[in-house]
Amino acid sequence: MSIDESAGEIDGRNETQIREITDRRENRGSRRQLLRQMAGVSLGLPLAQWKGFPVLAQAPVQQRAGSERTERTPVPLATTVSPEDDQFLDELERSNFLFFWEQTNPQTGLIKDRCNVRTADTTVAASIASTGFGLTAICIAEKRGFISRQDARLRVITTLEFLWKKLPTHRGFFYHFANMNTGERIWDSEVSSIDTSILLCGILTCRQHFRDRDIIELAHAIFDRVDWTWLSEDITLLPMGWTPEFGFLASKWDYYSELMMIYLLGMGSSSHPLRPEAWLAWKRTTFEYEGLRYIGSFAPLFVHQYSQAWFDFRHMRDKYADYFQNSAIATEVHRRFCVGLNNNFPDYSDDLWGITASDSENGYVVWGGPPATGPIDGTVVPAACGGSLPFLTDATMRVLKNIKTHYPQAWCRYGFVDAFNPLKKWYDNDVVGIDTGITMLMAENVRTSFVWETFMKNPEAQRGMANAGFKSYSPTAA
């Protein structure tokens, strides 16, 4: 059976399948839904009020509200990838890519949100974020020869045509979750500003990589249809989403997080651009941990990774910060935080660390630190290190290779399972598209900078960063 054939003759209208995956997803939730639930407790409150989350073996964290420039703080720098490491990352990327190629309906191009790797997965829930990562994964795979250019081009065109002609939208924005076979909205999901942005990043990467007339025309049409001015009609801060039942969600993109891609894409639009002052509206709170200062928020490590999978902030800064160096510091802080929990969770060490929003033995959890967020229990999330490969290369590579070598149950056909807990001998059954995606994209960026260099050729990306006030500089300058 071919890869395309195995991807699915799945009955998208089978109510039993819909109910099965709906029940599973409702039990776990999505990372952004859980962060929204936490928002009233976590965002912007003094650390002393974090009584709901255990603070374990944690160095003092100081929070400085405001938007002052962060000081450059020395952290271990990314290093050149060795031939051995490159070979490991090549195997990782090949495995990651299989998820995006196989767990897709080849007639729609929509990619599953997640799949069970221990059984024959018959679920039908796709996410537009997973599809955005997958479009970028196809570019990487074609460049590396994992698939032919003809097969890659056909899959991309099929996907873009479905997105343009058939997948439901509102003002150009897409619903978070859809049936992978029909495109129908499922779970009453929201029209999502962040997930649409991830999808657009994948589309723009394809446009620049293939330089194909059909792909270029479809990518332009899909991007230019997005009405960013509707999203910001009455406010400067952008809402997280909208539903036809209730209108705009109350939660806004107001604190440092993966929001950067939303604002930059919006400001880069030529058809419905955001006003440049939108970039100045969201808060950049400064934290300090063991003498390391960085802009952050009360959120897991993935918030430092997602925008930087595509936008290249290296040797760039706006009036506030060098965000690449900022993410390197945040990753080093998270490493120290995890290693510091060793007395509570003896599995954590320099060779095994990393917590970000993920599956757990008890369902989906938004966790991380510092400060300790969520009921940390010794679970390790490979995407925490995978998504930070360019920021802290030696330290993250050591962890990923250690997992592959010493925890074989954490490895599967598609790379790492979403999470595992050595202390409880629990290993996830699932691979999650966005976690597999951030790992694959960052693995390629640390090897060749391919995604950064390809995506940043887009005038929308260049215009967005220019309108946000980014300028090049030398990080080593005094």
Side-chain angles (χ1 to χ4, degrees), residues 140-195:
I140 297 170
E142 192 280 329
K143 167 187 174 287
R144 290 206 163 270
F146 300 168
I147 53 173
S148 70
R149 187 171 184 85
Q150 180 181 356
D151 288 345
R153 175 185 177 276
L154 179 60
R155 179 66 65 85
V156 170
I157 290 177
T158 298
T159 306
L160 297 188
E161 285 183 341
F162 191 84
L163 293 172
W164 172 241
K165 297 176 180 178
K166 296 182 180 180
L167 193 65
T169 64
H170 185 80
R171 301 295 184 98
F173 291 89
F174 292 91
Y175 288 95
H176 192 158
F177 297 109
N179 183 303
M180 66 184 289
N181 301 315
T182 67
E184 294 171 316
R185 173 197 184 200
I186 58 176
W187 300 324
D188 294 330
S189 59
E190 80 284 10
V191 166
S192 172
S193 50
I194 182 59
D195 296 280

Side-chain angles (χ1 to χ4, degrees), residues 284-339:
R284 296 159 173 84
T285 304
T286 304
F287 294 82
E288 183 168 335
Y289 183 91
E290 294 188 353
L292 300 178
R293 295 184 62 200
Y294 62 101
I295 292 172
S297 55
F298 298 96
L301 193 59
F302 78 86
V303 303
H304 293 281
Q305 301 170 349
Y306 277 32
S307 290
Q308 299 207 47
W310 289 278
F311 282 94
D312 186 1
F313 294 109
R314 295 174 301 169
H315 300 171
M316 302 287 290
R317 67 174 303 137
D318 65 358
K319 65 185 291 187
Y320 303 106
D322 171 341
Y323 294 100
F324 183 88
Q325 178 72 354
N326 188 74
S327 289
I329 296 170
T331 303
E332 169 64 10
V333 164
H334 180 72
R335 185 194 69 79
R336 295 185 186 187
F337 165 77
C338 289
V339 173

Side-chain angles (χ1 to χ4, degrees), residues 31 300-302 304-306 327 330-331 334-335 338 353-358 367-368 379-392 396 399-400 403 416-419 435-436 438-439 442:
R31 66 188 69 201
L301 193 59
F302 78 86
H304 293 281
Q305 301 170 349
Y306 277 32
S327 289
T331 303
H334 180 72
R335 185 194 69 79
C338 289
W353 56 270
I355 322 166
T356 189
S358 74
W367 47 14
T379 293
V380 176
V381 187
C385 282
S388 288
L389 277 164
F391 306 134
L392 211 63
T396 53
V399 171
L400 295 178
I403 295 173
F416 296 111
V417 297
D418 197 55
D435 291 342
T436 302
I438 192 63
T439 299
M442 288 307 214

Side-chain angles (χ1 to χ4, degrees), residues 420-441:
F420 68 103
N421 190 318
L423 300 179
K424 298 182 177 182
K425 302 188 184 316
W426 172 81
Y427 292 85
D428 200 359
N429 292 324
D430 281 12
V431 166
V432 176
I434 52 179
D435 291 342
T436 302
I438 192 63
T439 299
M440 181 176 180
L441 270 60

Side-chain angles (χ1 to χ4, degrees), residues 201-306:
C201 285
I203 291 170
L204 293 180
T205 304
C206 288
R207 188 179 74 185
Q208 282 301 321
H209 175 64
F210 287 97
R211 304 305 300 164
D212 175 272
R213 184 180 66 181
D214 293 334
I215 293 175
I216 290 171
E217 290 178 356
L218 286 165
H220 272 298
I222 295 167
F223 189 91
D224 291 343
R225 179 173 60 180
V226 179
D227 188 354
W228 304 95
T229 58
W230 164 75
L231 201 63
S232 64
E233 185 173 353
D234 300 318
I235 54 173
T236 304
L237 288 170
L238 303 182
M240 290 187 178
W242 175 92
T243 68
E245 294 83 8
F246 303 106
F248 284 115
L249 302 181
S251 300
K252 304 290 191 298
W253 292 107
D254 51 0
Y255 280 81
Y256 171 86
S257 65
E258 71 271 34
L259 61 76
M260 292 194 292
M261 68 168 70
I262 309 174
Y263 286 86
L264 293 173
L265 289 172
M267 289 189 296
S269 170
S270 59
S271 58
H272 307 285
L274 288 177
R275 299 184 302 274
E277 53 265 31
W279 184 253
L280 309 178
W282 49 275
K283 297 179 178 65
R284 296 159 173 84
T285 304
T286 304
F287 294 82
E288 183 168 335
Y289 183 91
E290 294 188 353
L292 300 178
R293 295 184 62 200
Y294 62 101
I295 292 172
S297 55
F298 298 96
L301 193 59
F302 78 86
V303 303
H304 293 281
Q305 301 170 349
Y306 277 32

